[in-house]
Amino acid sequence: MQAGPAGLRFRTLLRWRRLEWTEIAGFEDLQVDSNDPRLRSINLRVAARLRDGTLVVLPVPYLAAEESRTFHEEAARLPALRRGYADDASAA
């Protein structure tokens, strides 16, 4: 996933997708049960709530346990990026 002045750009299964900052109303944390019934862990996913109410679940990279902290830190920065870039776009 890439975040920049133009918005979020991320890869889905078949194509790249872009969401402009002005489309995004906010971000939500989703807790998803593990796909493996032997594991009792809950996975954190991040979703973008669009202004029209649509929820777009953002892709999560495959991570080792020690890498998950970095992902959570990057995901926590998304709201601040959205505010900064959306403010820049509305001022122009």
Side-chain angles (χ1 to χ4, degrees):
M1 181 169 45
Q2 302 166 344
L8 286 179
R9 186 172 181 255
F10 55 93
R11 179 92 174 137
T12 64
L13 186 60
L14 300 175
R15 63 185 173 96
W16 282 93
R17 181 160 182 200
R18 186 171 67 93
L19 297 174
E20 294 182 17
W21 293 115
T22 55
E23 291 181 82
I24 301 171
F27 292 97
E28 299 179 15
D29 292 338
L30 303 175
Q31 292 186 354
V32 181
D33 290 332
S34 175
N35 289 336
D36 189 339
R38 297 171 294 170
L39 302 176
R40 300 206 185 278
S41 65
I42 295 177
N43 299 319
L44 176 66
R45 300 289 305 264
V46 178
R49 174 72 64 185
L50 304 184
R51 297 210 181 276
D52 68 1
T54 305
L55 193 65
V56 177
V57 178
L58 301 176
V60 176
Y62 291 101
L63 302 170
E66 62 275 1
E67 296 172 313
S68 66
R69 182 172 173 227
T70 303
F71 169 74
H72 295 298
E73 290 169 355
E74 290 176 3
R77 286 193 293 260
L78 286 174
L81 284 170
R82 183 189 70 80
R83 282 190 303 273
Y85 286 126
D87 289 345
D88 289 346
S90 64

